[in-house]
mmCIF file of all heavy atoms in Angstrom:
data_model
loop_
_atom_site.group_PDB
_atom_site.id
_atom_site.type_symbol
_atom_site.label_atom_id
_atom_site.label_comp_id
_atom_site.label_asym_id
_atom_site.label_seq_id
_atom_site.Cartn_x
_atom_site.Cartn_y
_atom_site.Cartn_z
ATOM 1 N N GLU A 94 95.807 127.056 126.383
ATOM 2 C CA GLU A 94 94.909 125.882 126.138
ATOM 3 C C GLU A 94 94.866 124.987 127.417
ATOM 4 O O GLU A 94 93.817 124.499 127.766
ATOM 5 C CB GLU A 94 95.387 125.103 124.928
ATOM 6 C CG GLU A 94 95.155 125.810 123.632
ATOM 7 C CD GLU A 94 95.827 125.162 122.458
ATOM 8 O OE1 GLU A 94 96.626 124.134 122.697
ATOM 9 O OE2 GLU A 94 95.591 125.469 121.294
ATOM 10 N N ARG A 95 96.057 124.841 127.979
ATOM 11 C CA ARG A 95 96.099 124.057 129.250
ATOM 12 C C ARG A 95 95.334 124.711 130.350
ATOM 13 O O ARG A 95 94.626 123.990 131.113
ATOM 14 C CB ARG A 95 97.538 123.765 129.589
ATOM 15 C CG ARG A 95 97.680 122.628 130.610
ATOM 16 C CD ARG A 95 99.059 122.048 130.622
ATOM 17 N NE ARG A 95 100.072 123.060 131.090
ATOM 18 C CZ ARG A 95 101.171 123.366 130.352
ATOM 19 N NH1 ARG A 95 101.411 122.783 129.209
ATOM 20 N NH2 ARG A 95 102.008 124.197 130.846
ATOM 21 N N ILE A 96 95.515 125.986 130.498
ATOM 22 C CA ILE A 96 94.736 126.684 131.558
ATOM 23 C C ILE A 96 93.257 126.597 131.392
ATOM 24 O O ILE A 96 92.502 126.347 132.360
ATOM 25 C CB ILE A 96 95.207 128.178 131.639
ATOM 26 C CG1 ILE A 96 96.678 128.311 132.105
ATOM 27 C CG2 ILE A 96 94.257 129.007 132.508
ATOM 28 C CD1 ILE A 96 97.275 129.693 131.985
ATOM 29 N N LEU A 97 92.807 126.766 130.138
ATOM 30 C CA LEU A 97 91.326 126.688 129.868
ATOM 31 C C LEU A 97 90.843 125.266 130.186
ATOM 32 O O LEU A 97 89.782 125.126 130.660
ATOM 33 C CB LEU A 97 91.078 127.112 128.426
ATOM 34 C CG LEU A 97 91.279 128.570 128.108
ATOM 35 C CD1 LEU A 97 91.080 128.824 126.625
ATOM 36 C CD2 LEU A 97 90.372 129.443 128.906
ATOM 37 N N MET A 98 91.579 124.257 129.791
ATOM 38 C CA MET A 98 91.224 122.884 130.126
ATOM 39 C C MET A 98 91.089 122.726 131.609
ATOM 40 O O MET A 98 90.118 122.095 132.078
ATOM 41 C CB MET A 98 92.186 121.881 129.501
ATOM 42 C CG MET A 98 91.963 120.439 129.845
ATOM 43 S SD MET A 98 90.250 119.873 129.475
ATOM 44 C CE MET A 98 90.438 119.793 127.663
ATOM 45 N N GLN A 99 92.053 123.200 132.377
ATOM 46 C CA GLN A 99 92.001 123.028 133.821
ATOM 47 C C GLN A 99 90.867 123.802 134.431
ATOM 48 O O GLN A 99 90.267 123.341 135.417
ATOM 49 C CB GLN A 99 93.380 123.458 134.407
ATOM 50 C CG GLN A 99 94.527 122.574 134.043
ATOM 51 C CD GLN A 99 94.354 121.156 134.409
ATOM 52 O OE1 GLN A 99 93.584 120.801 135.299
ATOM 53 N NE2 GLN A 99 95.083 120.259 133.751
ATOM 54 N N SER A 100 90.489 124.906 133.838
ATOM 55 C CA SER A 100 89.369 125.675 134.331
ATOM 56 C C SER A 100 88.072 124.861 134.131
ATOM 57 O O SER A 100 87.159 124.876 134.969
ATOM 58 C CB SER A 100 89.262 127.063 133.634
ATOM 59 O OG SER A 100 88.741 126.999 132.383
ATOM 60 N N ARG A 101 88.005 124.197 132.941
ATOM 61 C CA ARG A 101 86.818 123.309 132.743
ATOM 62 C C ARG A 101 86.794 122.154 133.690
ATOM 63 O O ARG A 101 85.746 121.714 134.174
ATOM 64 C CB ARG A 101 86.796 122.797 131.269
ATOM 65 C CG ARG A 101 86.497 123.836 130.234
ATOM 66 C CD ARG A 101 86.248 123.172 128.911
ATOM 67 N NE ARG A 101 87.466 122.753 128.227
ATOM 68 C CZ ARG A 101 88.197 123.493 127.409
ATOM 69 N NH1 ARG A 101 87.838 124.708 127.098
ATOM 70 N NH2 ARG A 101 89.302 122.944 126.901
ATOM 71 N N ASN A 102 87.981 121.645 133.960
ATOM 72 C CA ASN A 102 88.102 120.502 134.954
ATOM 73 C C ASN A 102 87.576 120.961 136.364
ATOM 74 O O ASN A 102 86.943 120.175 137.023
ATOM 75 C CB ASN A 102 89.542 120.089 135.100
ATOM 76 C CG ASN A 102 89.998 119.271 133.866
ATOM 77 O OD1 ASN A 102 89.200 118.827 133.096
ATOM 78 N ND2 ASN A 102 91.322 119.101 133.701
ATOM 79 N N LEU A 103 87.940 122.193 136.741
ATOM 80 C CA LEU A 103 87.470 122.726 138.060
ATOM 81 C C LEU A 103 85.957 122.738 138.050
ATOM 82 O O LEU A 103 85.298 122.340 139.073
ATOM 83 C CB LEU A 103 88.029 124.091 138.306
ATOM 84 C CG LEU A 103 89.496 124.173 138.602
ATOM 85 C CD1 LEU A 103 89.935 125.654 138.672
ATOM 86 C CD2 LEU A 103 89.830 123.483 139.907
ATOM 87 N N LYS A 104 85.318 123.181 136.993
ATOM 88 C CA LYS A 104 83.869 123.213 136.923
ATOM 89 C C LYS A 104 83.282 121.805 137.012
ATOM 90 O O LYS A 104 82.275 121.556 137.684
ATOM 91 C CB LYS A 104 83.384 123.888 135.662
ATOM 92 C CG LYS A 104 83.701 125.394 135.596
ATOM 93 C CD LYS A 104 83.183 126.000 134.337
ATOM 94 C CE LYS A 104 83.444 127.513 134.293
ATOM 95 N NZ LYS A 104 83.021 128.133 133.000
ATOM 96 N N ARG A 105 83.927 120.845 136.337
ATOM 97 C CA ARG A 105 83.442 119.527 136.368
ATOM 98 C C ARG A 105 83.515 118.865 137.717
ATOM 99 O O ARG A 105 82.639 118.079 138.179
ATOM 100 C CB ARG A 105 84.154 118.650 135.308
ATOM 101 C CG ARG A 105 83.844 118.991 133.926
ATOM 102 C CD ARG A 105 84.677 118.285 132.880
ATOM 103 N NE ARG A 105 84.296 118.632 131.548
ATOM 104 C CZ ARG A 105 84.975 118.239 130.501
ATOM 105 N NH1 ARG A 105 86.109 117.559 130.620
ATOM 106 N NH2 ARG A 105 84.513 118.606 129.302
ATOM 107 N N ILE A 106 84.604 119.213 138.465
ATOM 108 C CA ILE A 106 84.762 118.708 139.809
ATOM 109 C C ILE A 106 83.603 119.257 140.696
ATOM 110 O O ILE A 106 83.007 118.482 141.479
ATOM 111 C CB ILE A 106 86.133 119.108 140.444
ATOM 112 C CG1 ILE A 106 87.229 118.309 139.709
ATOM 113 C CG2 ILE A 106 86.179 118.773 141.914
ATOM 114 C CD1 ILE A 106 88.641 118.823 140.024
ATOM 115 N N GLY A 107 83.294 120.501 140.514
ATOM 116 C CA GLY A 107 82.175 121.065 141.272
ATOM 117 C C GLY A 107 80.876 120.375 140.917
ATOM 118 O O GLY A 107 80.086 120.059 141.816
ATOM 119 N N GLU A 108 80.649 120.199 139.619
ATOM 120 C CA GLU A 108 79.417 119.529 139.164
ATOM 121 C C GLU A 108 79.303 118.112 139.730
ATOM 122 O O GLU A 108 78.203 117.617 139.995
ATOM 123 C CB GLU A 108 79.340 119.510 137.662
ATOM 124 C CG GLU A 108 79.116 120.864 137.011
ATOM 125 C CD GLU A 108 79.237 120.845 135.489
ATOM 126 O OE1 GLU A 108 79.721 119.784 135.003
ATOM 127 O OE2 GLU A 108 78.989 121.824 134.885
ATOM 128 N N GLU A 109 80.461 117.443 139.853
ATOM 129 C CA GLU A 109 80.476 116.041 140.315
ATOM 130 C C GLU A 109 79.814 115.936 141.691
ATOM 131 O O GLU A 109 79.131 114.928 141.963
ATOM 132 C CB GLU A 109 81.899 115.567 140.415
ATOM 133 C CG GLU A 109 82.080 114.156 140.781
ATOM 134 C CD GLU A 109 82.062 113.195 139.581
ATOM 135 O OE1 GLU A 109 82.884 113.417 138.642
ATOM 136 O OE2 GLU A 109 81.289 112.276 139.604
ATOM 137 N N PHE A 110 79.937 116.938 142.512
ATOM 138 C CA PHE A 110 79.419 116.857 143.893
ATOM 139 C C PHE A 110 78.177 117.641 144.077
ATOM 140 O O PHE A 110 77.362 117.342 144.965
ATOM 141 C CB PHE A 110 80.578 117.355 144.854
ATOM 142 C CG PHE A 110 81.716 116.452 144.871
ATOM 143 C CD1 PHE A 110 82.851 116.745 144.144
ATOM 144 C CD2 PHE A 110 81.746 115.308 145.638
ATOM 145 C CE1 PHE A 110 83.954 115.881 144.121
ATOM 146 C CE2 PHE A 110 82.863 114.454 145.665
ATOM 147 C CZ PHE A 110 83.927 114.737 144.883
ATOM 148 N N VAL A 111 77.948 118.659 143.280
ATOM 149 C CA VAL A 111 76.718 119.465 143.427
ATOM 150 C C VAL A 111 75.611 118.876 142.573
ATOM 151 O O VAL A 111 74.439 118.744 143.092
ATOM 152 C CB VAL A 111 76.973 120.922 143.010
ATOM 153 C CG1 VAL A 111 75.656 121.769 143.006
ATOM 154 C CG2 VAL A 111 78.020 121.609 143.892
ATOM 155 N N ASN A 112 75.875 118.567 141.328
ATOM 156 C CA ASN A 112 74.875 117.989 140.424
ATOM 157 C C ASN A 112 75.185 116.562 140.155
ATOM 158 O O ASN A 112 75.666 116.166 139.090
ATOM 159 C CB ASN A 112 74.839 118.824 139.138
ATOM 160 C CG ASN A 112 73.754 118.436 138.243
ATOM 161 O OD1 ASN A 112 72.792 117.727 138.654
ATOM 162 N ND2 ASN A 112 73.805 118.836 136.978
ATOM 163 N N VAL A 113 74.928 115.754 141.198
ATOM 164 C CA VAL A 113 75.364 114.308 141.154
ATOM 165 C C VAL A 113 74.770 113.526 139.958
ATOM 166 O O VAL A 113 75.467 112.749 139.252
ATOM 167 C CB VAL A 113 75.062 113.622 142.468
ATOM 168 C CG1 VAL A 113 75.471 112.159 142.423
ATOM 169 C CG2 VAL A 113 75.793 114.319 143.612
ATOM 170 N N GLU A 114 73.492 113.728 139.700
ATOM 171 C CA GLU A 114 72.789 112.919 138.751
ATOM 172 C C GLU A 114 72.829 113.515 137.354
ATOM 173 O O GLU A 114 72.643 112.793 136.398
ATOM 174 C CB GLU A 114 71.317 112.722 139.169
ATOM 175 C CG GLU A 114 71.173 111.898 140.474
ATOM 176 C CD GLU A 114 69.728 111.725 140.798
ATOM 177 O OE1 GLU A 114 68.831 112.310 140.074
ATOM 178 O OE2 GLU A 114 69.427 110.983 141.699
ATOM 179 N N GLY A 115 73.015 114.821 137.265
ATOM 180 C CA GLY A 115 72.908 115.503 135.942
ATOM 181 C C GLY A 115 74.309 115.776 135.381
ATOM 182 O O GLY A 115 75.348 115.569 135.969
ATOM 183 N N GLY A 116 74.284 116.516 134.236
ATOM 184 C CA GLY A 116 75.500 116.920 133.598
ATOM 185 C C GLY A 116 75.412 116.633 132.085
ATOM 186 O O GLY A 116 74.316 116.425 131.552
ATOM 187 N N SER A 117 76.547 116.620 131.461
ATOM 188 C CA SER A 117 76.554 116.365 129.986
ATOM 189 C C SER A 117 77.788 115.473 129.610
ATOM 190 O O SER A 117 78.764 115.529 130.313
ATOM 191 C CB SER A 117 76.570 117.642 129.208
ATOM 192 O OG SER A 117 77.786 118.324 129.438
ATOM 193 N N LEU A 118 77.610 114.757 128.573
ATOM 194 C CA LEU A 118 78.745 113.938 128.049
ATOM 195 C C LEU A 118 78.691 113.985 126.515
ATOM 196 O O LEU A 118 77.612 113.754 125.933
ATOM 197 C CB LEU A 118 78.618 112.473 128.553
ATOM 198 C CG LEU A 118 79.762 111.590 128.119
ATOM 199 C CD1 LEU A 118 81.019 111.966 128.791
ATOM 200 C CD2 LEU A 118 79.343 110.083 128.466
ATOM 201 N N ILE A 119 79.709 114.379 125.948
ATOM 202 C CA ILE A 119 79.810 114.510 124.445
ATOM 203 C C ILE A 119 80.715 113.473 123.892
ATOM 204 O O ILE A 119 81.963 113.439 124.207
ATOM 205 C CB ILE A 119 80.244 115.963 124.069
ATOM 206 C CG1 ILE A 119 79.314 116.955 124.637
ATOM 207 C CG2 ILE A 119 80.267 116.098 122.545
ATOM 208 C CD1 ILE A 119 79.761 118.436 124.436
ATOM 209 N N ILE A 120 80.240 112.686 123.008
ATOM 210 C CA ILE A 120 80.947 111.535 122.361
ATOM 211 C C ILE A 120 81.191 111.971 120.892
ATOM 212 O O ILE A 120 80.240 112.252 120.176
ATOM 213 C CB ILE A 120 80.228 110.244 122.418
ATOM 214 C CG1 ILE A 120 79.767 109.930 123.847
ATOM 215 C CG2 ILE A 120 81.098 109.111 121.822
ATOM 216 C CD1 ILE A 120 80.888 109.741 124.852
ATOM 217 N N ALA A 121 82.444 111.986 120.495
ATOM 218 C CA ALA A 121 82.805 112.242 119.081
ATOM 219 C C ALA A 121 83.189 110.924 118.423
ATOM 220 O O ALA A 121 84.060 110.212 118.963
ATOM 221 C CB ALA A 121 83.927 113.273 118.986
ATOM 222 N N THR A 122 82.567 110.628 117.338
ATOM 223 C CA THR A 122 82.806 109.285 116.737
ATOM 224 C C THR A 122 82.523 109.296 115.211
ATOM 225 O O THR A 122 81.982 110.231 114.698
ATOM 226 C CB THR A 122 82.007 108.162 117.464
ATOM 227 O OG1 THR A 122 82.428 106.895 117.066
ATOM 228 C CG2 THR A 122 80.499 108.313 117.225
ATOM 229 N N THR A 123 82.760 108.188 114.593
ATOM 230 C CA THR A 123 82.499 108.040 113.169
ATOM 231 C C THR A 123 81.075 107.472 112.941
ATOM 232 O O THR A 123 80.452 106.968 113.893
ATOM 233 C CB THR A 123 83.553 107.093 112.485
ATOM 234 O OG1 THR A 123 83.392 105.817 113.076
ATOM 235 C CG2 THR A 123 84.975 107.617 112.711
ATOM 236 N N HIS A 124 80.655 107.529 111.689
ATOM 237 C CA HIS A 124 79.311 107.026 111.423
ATOM 238 C C HIS A 124 79.202 105.528 111.772
ATOM 239 O O HIS A 124 78.198 105.108 112.337
ATOM 240 C CB HIS A 124 78.985 107.258 109.932
ATOM 241 C CG HIS A 124 77.712 106.573 109.526
ATOM 242 N ND1 HIS A 124 77.692 105.266 109.057
ATOM 243 C CD2 HIS A 124 76.394 106.910 109.580
ATOM 244 C CE1 HIS A 124 76.446 104.900 108.817
ATOM 245 N NE2 HIS A 124 75.648 105.885 109.083
ATOM 246 N N THR A 125 80.198 104.734 111.373
ATOM 247 C CA THR A 125 80.098 103.290 111.558
ATOM 248 C C THR A 125 79.993 102.971 113.063
ATOM 249 O O THR A 125 79.147 102.129 113.474
ATOM 250 C CB THR A 125 81.317 102.578 110.969
ATOM 251 O OG1 THR A 125 81.360 102.822 109.574
ATOM 252 C CG2 THR A 125 81.270 101.080 111.245
#
Side-chain angles (χ1 to χ4, degrees):
E94 289 171 349
R95 193 159 66 234
I96 290 172
L97 291 175
M98 174 56 70
Q99 294 302 338
S100 75
R101 287 192 288 269
N102 288 343
L103 289 173
K104 290 181 180 178
R105 288 173 179 172
I106 291 171
E108 290 172 352
E109 184 88 54
F110 294 95
V111 174
N112 187 13
V113 177
E114 296 182 351
S117 65
L118 184 67
I119 302 174
I120 309 299
T122 190
T123 61
H124 171 270
T125 298

